[in-house]
Amino acid sequence: MFDNLSDKLDKAFHILKGHGKITEVNVADTLKEVRRALLDADVNFKIAKDFTTKVKEKAIGENVLTTLQPGQLMVKLVKDELTELMGGDAAGINLSGAPTVILMSGLQGSGKTTFSGKLANFLKTKKNKKPLLVACDIYRPAAINQLHVVGGQIGVEVYSEEGNKNPVEIAQNAIKYAKANGFNVVIVDTAGRLAVDEEMMNEIANVHKAIEPHETLFVVDAMTGQDAVNTAKAFNDRLNFDGVILTKLDGDTRGGAAISIKSVVDKPIKFIGTGEKMEAIDVFYPNRMAERILG
Ligand code: GDP
């Protein structure tokens, strides 16, 4: 995960670790390399620039040049700033409500259906919940089938209505069904499209308004870099979602989405997807991710 970024940051710190006496120029060169590494990882230019400015201010504040191990202190400052940028503390998921209603949003192919299954499985096995999965993609019968397959794999019931073309109605009926049948979490999987369009946004906004979810989660493919950030912004402007799910972090992703998304939409990354299997889900801890990136 983020191997390229880790390598480049490691090289950036070589500048500091290699010198007997550290000068202001060495620190400036290191920060320049750090910025370049972030840009190469597809982090937005302004975010990368602000990042190094903040680290520089802290380095001056802590008199980095006079400390015994300036290299180590710089690594720590970068690690702290990366953690902050990615959200600081881990953000939990709101499980209030009877039942808790969770709405999944995102583009087609982002991993929404897969993640709906992973989350249901996580809540069932780790939180002792009884989840119901709801198929609200009225355009693609294959998507409904896919959710049934996923539900079958994890032993979670899937609610769908054949022939009903009204996602608001399906979601509302599913919540009624959940209440009547002892389900305490309802996970609503919605229709995505290949790109942001008005019709999809209206549809999900209508579902959102009608069911008033306790958690609205936005699912995005980490491999899409700055596009992921732009899509997040479009969905957040419309839905004011509660958290981000970053999928496909097992792939050859550069890391830009993980690093930038929080500061653009001011919403935490809550979970990450790290594979196609139902168990490939992790709670997102910004500090652990920063540690991983910096090795
Ligand atoms: P949806 O259209 O948003 O519902 O996306 P899907 O759930 O159908 O996922 C699209 C493709 O991405 C499928 O082939 C999934 O198996 C795959 N996928 C989903 N999440 C992950 C992940 O975390 N890692 C990897 N490698 N593949 C994933």
Side-chain angles (χ1 to χ4, degrees), residues 22 109 112 114 151 164 192 200 224 240 292:
I22 306 292
K112 230 176 324 101
T114 307
N164 190 344
M200 169 185 65
T224 59
N240 190 18
R292 220 161 150 167

Side-chain angles (χ1 to χ4, degrees), residues 1-2 6 272 274 282 287-295:
M1 203 186 282
F2 309 157
S6 297
I272 55 175
T274 54
D282 282 309
N287 58 339
R288 287 189 203 167
M289 188 57 80
E291 227 147 73
R292 220 161 150 167
I293 291 172
L294 286 164

